[in-house]
Amino acid sequence: MKSMKIAGLGAVGFSATNLFYPTLAQAVNRQDQWRWCNKCQVLHFAGGDSLGACAAGGSHNSEGSGNYSLILNTPNLRGQYGWRWCRKCQELFFAGDGSRGVCPAGGQHDPTGSSDYLLKSKEDSPDYFGQAEWRWCRKCQAIAFAGGDSLGACAAGGSHDNSGSSNYILQER
Ligand SMILES: [Zn+2]
Ligand SMILES: [Zn+2]
Ligand SMILES: [Zn+2]
């Protein structure tokens, strides 16, 4: 995890426009090593000991993925809080409504030990720079890339269902 300190509203050189709510000095915590799985399309943490179980079988495969950097444990930013890391499957999933979804490692996702992750979307931050078309799955609660050919296998069965999802934007490191 790394922190960057922003001098104030006059800070220039950051393409991440709209990242900052109008607070003055604000340290934004970030964590990279989040990757896209080319089998199930899901965002998962690949910086640990395990790549995690994949709904498409075996473990997640992050070959061909960018290195995504997520904002965590930083209050008062525009966006959606309540996203959690699952220690069993390594996926990021939405727990803000109390749901634990369905985990490809069996049972429900387990947020024990997770930080509080924030995601930004076209809806709340239209000028935010990054890769869009990341969508929340209402069945398994994970976030999967929906801009490709396949929606990806869902731990709840069939493919991910992103109906009702915001259009989330992820930044690469
Ligand atoms: Zn996978
Ligand atoms: Zn899980
Ligand atoms: Zn799903």
Side-chain angles (χ1 to χ4, degrees):
M1 188 206 298
K2 61 179 181 176
S3 250
M4 54 182 186
K5 189 81 175 172
I6 301 306
L9 289 176
V12 291
F14 286 88
S15 56
T17 54
N18 214 7
L19 173 59
F20 307 104
Y21 222 48
T23 54
L24 287 173
Q26 164 92 299
V28 175
N29 299 310
R30 284 186 166 272
Q31 180 184 57
D32 59 17
Q33 295 298 328
W34 286 89
R35 306 273 179 179
W36 160 77
C37 173
N38 61 34
K39 299 193 302 181
C40 72
Q41 308 294 324
V42 157
L43 185 71
H44 62 284
F45 184 65
D49 295 335
S50 159
L51 285 178
C54 178
S59 298
H60 295 302
N61 186 334
S62 53
E63 228 168 275
S65 171
N67 180 4
Y68 296 99
S69 170
L70 299 187
I71 298 169
L72 70 169
N73 298 339
T74 305
N76 303 319
L77 295 180
R78 183 180 296 145
Q80 184 181 48
Y81 291 88
W83 290 86
R84 296 284 185 273
W85 161 75
C86 171
R87 62 189 299 132
K88 298 194 302 181
C89 68
Q90 307 296 324
E91 295 178 1
L92 189 76
F93 71 99
F94 186 64
D97 58 359
S99 170
R100 296 292 177 260
V102 179
C103 180
Q108 295 189 300
H109 295 300
D110 181 359
T112 308
S114 173
S115 298
D116 184 21
Y117 293 90
L118 165 93
L119 291 185
K120 297 168 86 61
S121 68
K122 286 278 185 202
E123 287 78 7
D124 60 52
S125 308
D127 297 328
Y128 191 63
F129 177 81
Q131 182 185 48
E133 287 307 325
W134 286 89
R135 305 277 180 173
W136 161 75
C137 172
R138 62 190 307 125
K139 298 193 302 183
C140 71
Q141 303 291 328
I143 182 165
F145 185 64
D149 296 334
S150 160
L151 288 177
C154 179
S159 297
H160 297 300
D161 180 355
N162 58 34
S163 55
S165 172
S166 299
N167 184 358
Y168 295 99
I169 306 167
L170 295 187
Q171 286 186 334
E172 293 186 45
R173 183 170 179 245

